[in-house]
Amino acid sequence: MSLPTDRREPVAPPARPLFSIITVTYNAASSLPPTLRSVAEQSCGLYEHIIVDGASSDGTIELALKFDNPRIRFSSAPDRGIYDAMNKGLADATGDYVIFLNAGDTFHTPETLQQIADEVMANDYPGVVYGQTDLVDADRRRIGPRHLTAPDNLTLQSFANGMMVCHQAFVALRRITGPFNLKYRFSADYEWCIHVLQHSKRNVLIPDVIIDYLSEGMTTRNRRRSLMERFRIMCYYYGTVPTIMRHFRFALRFLKSK
C-alpha cells in the first residue's frame, strides 16, 4: 500500500534552522500516540515531522492520518526493515538537522526542540548536538537514566566504547549524514553515528535530558545479535586488537562490580 506523502495544504517553511523529525512505524498504533503528541506540543515550530510507515495493518495508518498536525508528512509502503524506512525518511528530509524519534520515543519536555535550536544558533550550526536520555516504560513511567552517559566532549573516539549517545538524542547536521548500511540489521544506527562523527567538525552537548526512550525497541529485543554486530563495526572502525582489549577491560570491570 502506498499513500501520498503530502496529505494537507502545504505549510510555508519556517525560518531556519529547520529540523526533520523522522519517525518510522510498523504496527505501532499502541506506541505512536505519545510520539505524535510530544512533537505537536513543542513550543518551537521549526520542524517537519516525517512519518514513514511500513504498511501497517493495526490502525497505525488511520491514527497518523487523523492526527491534527499540519507539519506531518506521511507515507506508507512495504520496506526492508527499520533502517530501510529510516533511509526513506532521510531521502525525504529537507531540514538542516535530522532527529530520529521512533514510535514510543518522545522529547523530554515541550521546550526541548527550542533548547536544541538555541544551541544550533549559538554555536553556528555544529555537526552534532546531543544530550542525555531517560528510559521509560510503555506507560511513560521513568525507569531511570540510560546506562551510558553522554560524554562532555564527544569525539569519533568516544564511540570506540560503544553507543555513548542514544541515537534519538543525537541530532545531526543533515548534509554530513549518509544512508544507513542495510547489511546491519540491528546496529546500523551505531555505524551511522560513527560516520557522522567522522564528518563533524564540532559537537555540542546539552547537559540535560532531551529524550525519553521507550525501552522495548527492536535492538532491546535482539540484544545479543545487536552486540555481535556492534563488535564487528568496532573492529572495522577502531581496529580488531584494540576492540578485543577494550572488551576484555569491560569484562573485568563487570566482574569486579559483581
Side-chain angles (χ1 to χ4, degrees), residues 114-139:
Q114 184 61 58
Q115 194 174 7
I116 297 170
D118 290 344
E119 291 297 333
V120 165
M121 298 299 289
N123 290 279
D124 194 24
Y125 287 67
V128 176
V129 178
Y130 65 103
Q132 306 298 345
T133 304
D134 272 352
L135 303 181
V136 298
D137 64 18
D139 295 318

Side-chain angles (χ1 to χ4, degrees), residues 231-250:
F231 181 81
R232 287 165 48 205
I233 295 167
M234 285 181 178
C235 289
Y236 178 82
Y237 283 96
Y238 299 109
T240 301
V241 172
T243 296
I244 292 173
M245 294 302 295
R246 197 172 289 112
H247 278 73
F248 180 71
R249 292 195 294 271
F250 293 161

Side-chain angles (χ1 to χ4, degrees), residues 142-200:
R142 183 178 184 271
I143 297 172
R146 186 170 178 264
H147 71 291
L148 292 176
T149 301
D152 292 338
N153 181 30
L154 179 67
T155 67
L156 174 62
Q157 192 61 30
S158 300
F159 269 53
N161 295 307
M163 192 82 169
M164 297 304 297
V165 180
C166 180
H167 187 208
Q168 284 78 350
F170 187 98
V171 182
L173 188 64
R174 184 172 62 90
R175 63 179 174 80
I176 66 170
T177 68
F180 292 86
N181 190 335
L182 299 187
K183 78 176 183 179
Y184 299 115
R185 289 190 61 199
F186 305 106
S187 293
D189 52 347
Y190 173 64
E191 199 244 12
W192 184 86
C193 288
I194 292 173
H195 169 84
V196 171
L197 289 171
Q198 285 181 316
H199 294 85
S200 177

Side-chain angles (χ1 to χ4, degrees), residues 36-140:
L36 293 175
R37 290 194 298 269
S38 173
V39 174
E41 290 170 356
Q42 291 302 300
S43 62
C44 174
L46 302 175
Y47 71 86
E48 58 183 5
H49 192 186
I50 300 170
I51 303 176
V52 182
D53 181 73
S56 293
S57 58
D58 70 336
T60 299
I61 295 172
E62 293 79 7
L63 190 156
L65 288 173
K66 290 178 181 178
F67 192 80
D68 186 20
N69 183 349
R71 293 187 177 90
I72 288 177
R73 289 160 52 201
F74 179 84
S75 63
S76 184
D79 56 49
R80 292 181 288 165
I82 186 171
Y83 297 119
D84 183 37
M86 288 180 175
N87 281 341
K88 291 180 180 181
L90 272 176
D92 200 30
T94 64
D96 301 290
Y97 286 83
V98 291
I99 303 172
F100 287 93
L101 202 65
N102 290 334
D105 303 328
T106 61
F107 290 112
H108 190 61
T109 74
E111 303 300 323
T112 295
L113 192 61
Q114 184 61 58
Q115 194 174 7
I116 297 170
D118 290 344
E119 291 297 333
V120 165
M121 298 299 289
N123 290 279
D124 194 24
Y125 287 67
V128 176
V129 178
Y130 65 103
Q132 306 298 345
T133 304
D134 272 352
L135 303 181
V136 298
D137 64 18
D139 295 318
R140 316 311 301 171

